[in-house]
Amino acid sequence: MSLSLVSQTARAAAPAVAPTFGALASRKFATASPVTSGARNHKVVVVGGGAAGLSISHQLLRHGNFNKDDIAIVDPAEFNHYQPGWTLVGGGLKTREELRTPLKSIVDPKLKFYNTGVTSLTPEHDSLTLSTGDKLSYEHLVVVPGIKINYDSIKGLPEALANPDSMVSSIYGYETCAKVFDTIKKLSKGNAIFTQPTGVIKCAGAPQKIMWLALDYWKKAGLYDPSNPSASPVHIAFATGLPTMFGVPKYSQALDQLRQERGVEGLFQHDLVAVEGNQAVFAKGEEKVTRDFDLLHVVPKMGPHDFVKNSQLADAAGYVAVDQANLQSTKFKNVWSAGDAAGLATSKTAAAITAQAPVLVANLLRTMEGKEPGVEYDGYTSCPLTTEYGKVMLAEFKYGGVPKETFAKYLGDQAVPRRAYYHLKKDFFPWVYKNYMLQGKWAGPKGFTK
Ligand code: UQ1
């Protein structure tokens, strides 16, 4: 592996050195600088500098016995974003700028940081290729690059989002989340439609969180009366590709009750396929259903990154195939995954990462010591659903959609929206994420760690 690595590096440097020598010159140049290849051999390479990548890298540093540059982290991004906060941006409660941190500033100096993308994973050779063409080799690989938002999965959506005058927006991107509140404020009458696609998305509750905030905004502005929706200037519909409000029956029932009490029209099994002017086109089985809108909040389809999907690590859906309990690749014993990129049968959230990261780290370190990876993840995930300004329903559950509520024994059933959870969502979680979770010092429901 080191030979191919060095010749790649040398090729990039070659033109300045000897423009006409080609491969031969590269080899000579390579032998002359062995230090470069050493620097690109790591004990652990972590692909992704998001919530999962930073938590895991920093937990590895804290709990393992590593020297400088033993662990590398790879991410092309300039900023780490607190994505769960983008719903709050859409509701006018925070700015998108306050939720981001320059990635360079949070990566511990003991980690080798490659601020670039990945083009391919070659676990069969214990290596991967960076967008620069350079190769990295590793003893263990952690694949946590998140997932891709496929804006062009909906015809006309990229254009509608980019048009500053359109009333089409989405909380799912940094570029578009600030537009959401502008459209909510601008609407004085007509049809507001909030969509959720079929297929896997991150934070499956977010498509309705923003709807509930918007409803409350219009209620306070005198534009929406939940007890008399047909006489209100604004009409609200939730159009989801799924058959229910939420994947977990307990919370789904509570949310559908809210929907009915508040006069929100439910368009179930309506999957948005196109935005044409002020019309939203949905696929409903074989049928096409068209609805006029005055405000449209869209959640695009999402999917794995190509370099994951096209690798030997992928499951049938393109996510990293991992053991559901120990988070080890089912194909390569020195590969691990967590977060949105992992093929785990649970909801993709930052809260899930708080429970996954310590399991992955413990099992990776055990494997390095020649032990079996015996620590187990139970599928814990959580979705703090804003149901109005000042209230959140804190859905918490594990594999199988079984509720696993942290606060129920103190505060009662968590299907009931409460003010305390609103402050967790709005104030505490963003703070603990930035100051503890990214540094590897926060284990979610298990609290602070050293
Ligand atoms: C959590 O730790 C966390 O991250 C900081 C969230 O934000 C995205 C959450 O939504 C949740 C629920 C947790 C879990 C923590 C506790 C105390 C239940």
Side-chain angles (χ1 to χ4, degrees):
M1 130 82 222
S2 47
L3 191 69
S4 65
L5 152 67
V6 178
S7 57
Q8 290 267 10
T9 318
R11 210 168 293 141
V17 181
T20 52
F21 274 48
L24 190 61
S26 301
R27 284 281 167 82
K28 280 190 181 153
F29 184 81
T31 12
S33 40
V35 178
T36 321
S37 81
R40 292 200 164 104
N41 252 310
H42 300 280
K43 285 198 172 146
V44 185
V45 173
V46 178
V47 174
L54 290 168
S55 308
I56 290 167
S57 311
H58 291 138
Q59 285 183 25
L60 281 169
L61 270 188
R62 305 183 84 80
H63 300 286
N65 205 355
F66 294 100
N67 293 320
K68 184 167 162 49
D69 294 348
D70 276 352
I71 304 174
I73 183 161
V74 184
D75 195 307
E78 189 183 353
F79 293 97
N80 175 279
H81 296 276
Y82 180 66
Q83 292 186 36
W86 288 348
T87 310
L88 304 172
V89 175
L93 293 162
K94 288 202 192 271
T95 66
R96 59 185 180 163
E97 290 81 7
E98 72 190 278
L99 298 170
R100 68 180 195 177
T101 315
L103 193 46
K104 277 198 179 84
S105 73
I106 13 175
V107 173
D108 190 291
K110 262 185 109 175
L111 300 169
K112 174 73 186 174
F113 178 33
Y114 296 98
N115 201 181
T116 178
V118 168
T119 52
S120 66
L121 301 172
T122 38
E124 60 280 23
H125 300 304
D126 297 330
S127 69
L128 58 88
T129 307
L130 301 176
S131 312
T132 54
D134 289 338
K135 282 198 178 180
L136 303 184
S137 66
Y138 55 77
E139 288 172 25
H140 285 268
L141 176 69
V142 179
V143 185
V144 285
I147 53 174
K148 230 174 24 160
I149 310 270
N150 296 325
Y151 290 101
D152 51 15
S153 61
I154 294 158
K155 205 165 144 275
L157 179 62
E159 298 78 3
L161 287 173
N163 175 359
D165 300 323
S166 83
M167 290 287 274
V168 181
S169 68
S170 180
I171 55 169
Y172 273 81
Y174 182 78
E175 298 308 324
T176 54
C177 67
K179 188 182 178 189
V180 176
F181 194 53
D182 292 340
T183 66
I184 292 172
K185 284 188 291 187
K186 241 192 253 173
L187 189 77
S188 56
K189 63 175 185 344
N191 294 319
I193 305 180
F194 294 81
T195 75
Q196 173 155 4
T198 53
V200 173
I201 60 167
K202 51 180 144 187
C203 194
Q208 65 183 288
K209 292 177 194 175
I210 187 62
M211 174 180 76
W212 297 128
L213 289 180
L215 182 155
D216 199 19
Y217 182 91
W218 295 320
K219 183 177 144 190
K220 291 184 164 100
L223 298 169
Y224 188 73
D225 179 358
S227 60
N228 196 1
S230 56
S232 303
V234 170
H235 173 267
I236 305 173
F238 186 57
T240 171
L242 309 174
T244 54
M245 289 298 280
F246 198 72
V248 178
K250 168 175 174 163
Y251 306 110
S252 191
Q253 275 157 23
L255 291 162
D256 201 53
Q257 196 181 333
L258 281 188
R259 181 187 70 74
Q260 290 179 33
E261 281 165 14
R262 293 173 178 181
V264 171
E265 187 185 6
L267 299 168
F268 295 100
Q269 280 153 326
H270 281 60
D271 194 20
L272 183 69
V273 291
V275 180
E276 294 169 0
N278 69 336
Q279 292 193 319
V281 184
F282 299 92
K284 184 173 183 267
E286 299 292 291
E287 236 182 288
K288 285 266 149 62
V289 177
T290 300
R291 285 275 182 142
D292 288 349
F293 69 82
D294 297 281
L295 176 149
L296 184 66
H297 180 273
V298 182
V299 180
K301 290 182 185 290
M302 297 170 207
H305 287 287
D306 293 339
F307 69 86
V308 174
K309 189 168 71 185
N310 299 333
S311 78
Q312 290 192 22
L313 298 175
D315 64 15
Y319 298 99
V320 184
V322 285
D323 182 283
Q324 299 293 302
N326 68 26
L327 308 180
Q328 186 178 43
S329 159
T330 53
K331 312 197 177 184
F332 296 88
K333 298 252 179 243
N334 64 337
V335 179
W336 308 82
S337 183
D340 296 350
L344 290 166
T346 193
S347 188
K348 298 182 185 305
T349 66
I353 292 165
T354 67
Q356 293 163 7
V359 172
L360 187 156
V361 167
N363 286 331
L364 192 158
L365 294 175
R366 286 172 66 88
T367 307
M368 276 187 148
E369 292 168 4
K371 295 182 190 150
E372 285 298 308
V375 184
E376 297 194 346
Y377 171 58
D378 65 1
Y380 175 81
T381 189
S382 167
C383 186
L385 289 131
T386 45
T387 51
E388 59 187 83
Y389 287 97
K391 278 198 185 159
V392 156
M393 178 190 295
L394 186 60
E396 284 182 291
F397 48 99
K398 55 184 180 178
Y399 286 137
V402 177
K404 189 187 180 199
E405 300 182 343
T406 308
F407 304 100
K409 57 180 174 286
Y410 313 108
L411 300 177
D413 187 354
Q414 287 184 205
V416 179
R418 294 181 203 276
R419 180 164 286 275
Y421 303 141
Y422 178 74
H423 289 294
L424 278 184
K425 163 86 187 154
K426 184 170 84 62
D427 306 312
F428 180 73
F429 292 146
W431 173 83
V432 84
Y433 174 85
K434 187 169 172 176
N435 296 297
Y436 290 89
M437 182 170 161
L438 295 181
Q439 289 79 356
K441 297 191 253 181
W442 173 247
K446 295 203 170 129
F448 295 95
T449 58
K450 65 173 177 65

